[in-house]
Amino acid sequence: MTKSPLILFAFLPAVFALLLSACGESPENPEGGKKVSALKINGSTTVNLPVAEAAEVMRERTGKEIQVDTQGGSSGGISMLGEGLVHLGMASKSLSDEDRKKFPECDFNEIQIGADAVALIVSKDVWSGGKTTITKKEMAGIYEGNITNWNQIGGPDQRIAFFNKEPGRGTWEVFAKWAYGSAGDTPQASFPEVGGNEETRNKVASTRGALSQLSASWADGKTVFALSVKTEDGKLIKPSGENIATGAYPMSRPLFVLSDGDPSGDAREMINFLLSIEGQKIVRKHGYLALADLSK
Amino acid sequence: MTRSALNPSCRRWSITLILSWLFTGVALAAVVGGLGLLLIESAPAWKHSGFEFVIGKKWFFRQSEFGAAPMIYGSIIVAILAMILAAPVGIGAAIFGVEYLPRKWRLGLKVTVELLAGIPSVVYGLLGILLLRNWIYEVFQDFDPLSGDTLLTAGVLLGLMILPTIMTLADDALRGVPGTLRLAARGLGLTATETALHVSVPQAFPGLLAAVLLALGRAMGETIAVFLVIGRQDNQWPSSILSLKPLLESGQTLTSKLGGSETNIAYGQPLHWGAIMGLGLVLLSLVVIITLTGAWLQRISFRQHQQHS
Amino acid sequence: MKRKLIHHLFRALTGLCALASCAILAGIVASIVMRGWSALNWDFFTQQIALVGASGGIFYNVIGTLILLATAFVVCTPLALGFSIVHSVYLRDSHWRGKLTLLLYLLNGVPSILFGIVGMVIFVQVLGWGKSWLAGGILLGLMILPTVSVTLIERIGSLPIKYTEAAIGLGLRKSQIIRSVILPQSIGGLITGLMLGLARAAGETAPIMFTATIFAGASIPGGIKESPVLSLPYHIFILAQDSYDPAVKAKLWGSALVLIILVLGLSLVALPARLKIHEEANHA
């Protein structure tokens, strides 16, 4: 009785002992030891949807541990792969030279698993107010703050509530590349920011005069509506499957799983599965274009 | 000393003594280490921007412009807003509990309110994103807010979150007023309300102020709930500090920035990461100043009553 | 007459404040129960996430949160004990005592996100753990240290002086008094404080989002390095921002309900005892 409370003091040392023993053993087998560590994947929330579901199937089949996370979006995927923190990255944009330069040690390998597009989506009042198309010039005007009301560009009399995708998101970079050529050339501007796709859809749907960039597959046409892009020669291009496949829609984008050099082991298996008929079905199920749709 | 002389088996160093100090040392080391880390890691940003980091109004990380002023403004405004909303209700509830309710009921009230304190901020955030932001958007329609993501939304949400802190600390302060004073006042024929207003509240005033300040500190540090409803718009420096207009616009707080995507982007890049850690340091300084003031007031209040009783 | 009126008015006004506070709690709980109730069933607790949150359950999220809490418990207990004993016994009459109290106040005020980013530097960057349950547990343990210590200190402070006097009379040394009188008598304070602290830790997202928890694919951690767990708050935080399937919504509210039950359950058990200790210590 008198000594029993002292046991409480033993907790922390016990943890440290455990910690030391664990630290001692882990560096021994970086690859191929008896205890293979989990396959780690991180990156774009857009690519996450099919990959996370594919991981569920793989887990069930092989019993292997596959960890999927979406910290920092595409940029997070690229930088974590670059620093060797994960085995596979996920990115919803092509790698830029800047990305590659940042991690000279890493031999980035882009493996396309599908395709998608960035749609410019608006809320219902804008859509039914007659604004269903947008030009690059109009978009730039909005981004630079020169156009603040939809009626300046043929829409209803309603202020424009532009939600910008937060930095680091593949969606934003694809948008920036279309509008200004590259992320670095984008003018300094500050708007309310949105992160996840559902957050974007939810906020646009519940705000009058709202506009944002969103993965085309999430533009459901019920709560949020995808504008057609009007090219300089007056053509209207919808972010439809066909236009994405042919690349006619200017903000089409490949969906990538990234590896450092040639993937091997579990990473290879995962990629093979994503590229298999079954894996491609999952890609399509989440509203994206499968690779077969692209070659049509 | 004399006892140890009497008892020959007595060692000065006992296991209990060593362990107690050891673990206290570990806790202190963790605190000092954390602080040191914030200082060291944020050094590149201070070197790059100097004091401009705190007063600069522009934050564009791609161009390595780091000015935290709009975020400091956001943090302070949102916390003050929360305080203005929560303080009257919290203090009112505490007064009701202490001055009018029998002990059992008062404890019941306190348990209920402290339960409210336990609700996780992510749940508040969820309710905020689903209900509150739409509500604010509709109710303030006449003022034409651009969306429901506003400083006001964050302030209201935070107000709900710090209500328990205010109530519980105010309750302590009021309870600290010696019962003899109350009895004397009632003996003079004052009503319970008059006693509360003319005796308890003035007596407990430093303590009540401390309650408000400590809650303010808490509000300033809240991340997840604010993150989901404030809009996270950079560079929102108001045209006038006293203007109310920015309340219905989106903004950014120090915490919403720290919890956002830039923390991941900055990781591994010394300057950008330094700026993020610098924001952490600014946030910590603000909270420490507020907390210290609150603790100081609380001590004053405590001393005062010890003299009385 | 006027005085009476003012009296009643003011009482009604403050009563309204009290009522409002209770109503807010009721409203929040009700709105979550209403939305989340339908998601709760046996499978929800025993299955793991499927279809990116749209199907399956939150088994490993609950397990992960429990692992984090257990670790925080283990980390915090000796620290709080050591700190409180040093504070209330060894430094009883020292001017350092007030400084330690102040430090607890300050630590209590440190925003939880700072635990997250500082923890990220220490555990992810310096120690190279990647995301690890242990990092999250340690951070949460440190974060709740003030809550636990304050309760314990108040409990020790309110022990009747005659206990210690009797022990001194028996010729016991300080350390013996601590072991045989103070600790056994104040263990209730420790437990109460821990439960309240853990209730707070259970709902925290900010300290663990960069250091300990991922969205999917973690189960029971097998080591320390690169051993993340799933957790309830992070699950809710991510799904609140990213949920393609409407089916996710029901699961999301279900998760929030489970988290609330966990947190309120812990608090409800501990709060009455906590308040009693607090009253005895401060307003005896």
Side-chain angles (χ1 to χ4, degrees), chain B residues 3 10-11 14 16-17 20-21 23-24 26-28 30-31 34 37-38 41 88-89 92-93 95-96 100 103 106-107 109-116 118-120 122-124 126-127 130-131 160 163 172 175-176 189-194 197 214 218 221 223-224 227-228 255 258-259 263-264 267 273 277 280 283-284 287-288 291-292 295 298, chain C residues 3 6-7 10-11 14-15 17-18 20-22 24-25 28-29 31-32 35 78-79 82-83 85-86 90-91 100 102-103 105-114 117-118 120-122 124-125 142 145 168 171-173 175 178-179 200 203 205-206 209-210 233 236-237 240-241 249 252-253 256 259-260 263-264 267-268 271-272 275 278-279 283:
Chain B
R3 266 202 310 280
C10 171
R11 289 158 297 145
S14 73
T16 316
L17 177 97
S20 302
W21 280 99
F23 287 122
T24 308
V26 170
L28 292 179
V31 172
L37 215 65
L38 270 180
E41 294 269 314
V89 181
I95 290 177
F96 185 72
Y100 302 108
R103 189 187 134 87
R106 187 177 68 80
L107 283 183
L109 175 63
K110 222 176 158 180
V111 168
T112 313
V113 172
E114 292 212 10
L115 277 181
L116 193 59
I119 294 178
V122 69
V123 173
Y124 278 102
L126 202 55
L127 291 169
L130 195 98
L131 306 173
L160 292 177
L163 180 63
D172 277 346
R175 291 267 295 154
L190 298 186
T191 62
T193 297
E194 284 160 342
L197 288 178
L214 292 173
R218 169 125 289 179
T223 306
I224 298 296
F227 179 88
L228 290 171
T255 52
L258 287 174
T263 303
N264 284 299
Y267 185 77
W273 180 252
M277 293 299 262
L283 174 65
L284 186 66
V287 172
V288 162
T291 313
L292 279 180
Q298 231 176 11
Chain C
R3 286 174 63 202
I6 290 176
H7 170 62
F10 190 72
R11 189 172 62 180
T14 54
C17 292
S21 313
C22 299
I24 290 168
L25 177 70
I28 290 175
V29 172
S31 68
I32 289 174
R35 294 184 169 84
L79 292 181
F83 194 91
I85 290 173
V86 165
Y90 291 115
L91 293 180
L100 282 190
L102 193 61
L103 189 75
Y105 264 95
L106 289 175
L107 191 58
N108 194 35
V110 172
S112 58
I113 183 79
L114 289 182
I117 62 167
V118 170
M120 185 173 167
V121 174
I122 296 177
V124 180
Q125 193 171 312
L142 280 173
L145 182 62
I168 291 171
L172 295 182
R173 283 175 290 119
S175 54
I178 292 169
R179 280 193 303 240
R200 194 179 147 207
T205 317
M209 62 196 256
F210 298 124
I236 297 171
F237 183 59
Q241 300 176 71
K249 279 253 161 68
L252 177 61
W253 289 106
L259 184 61
I260 287 230
V263 169
L264 293 192
S267 319
L268 206 55
L271 266 178
L275 287 179
H278 188 66
E279 298 275 308
H283 313 294

Side-chain angles (χ1 to χ4, degrees), chain C residues 167-212:
Chain C
I168 291 171
L170 286 170
L172 295 182
R173 283 175 290 119
K174 234 179 204 168
S175 54
Q176 286 173 322
I177 296 174
I178 292 169
R179 280 193 303 240
S180 56
V181 181
I182 296 179
L183 282 185
Q185 289 295 326
S186 53
I187 200 100
L190 178 70
I191 292 170
T192 315
L194 275 169
M195 289 179 79
L196 274 186
L198 292 179
R200 194 179 147 207
E204 277 292 350
T205 317
I208 57 174
M209 62 196 256
F210 298 124
T211 55

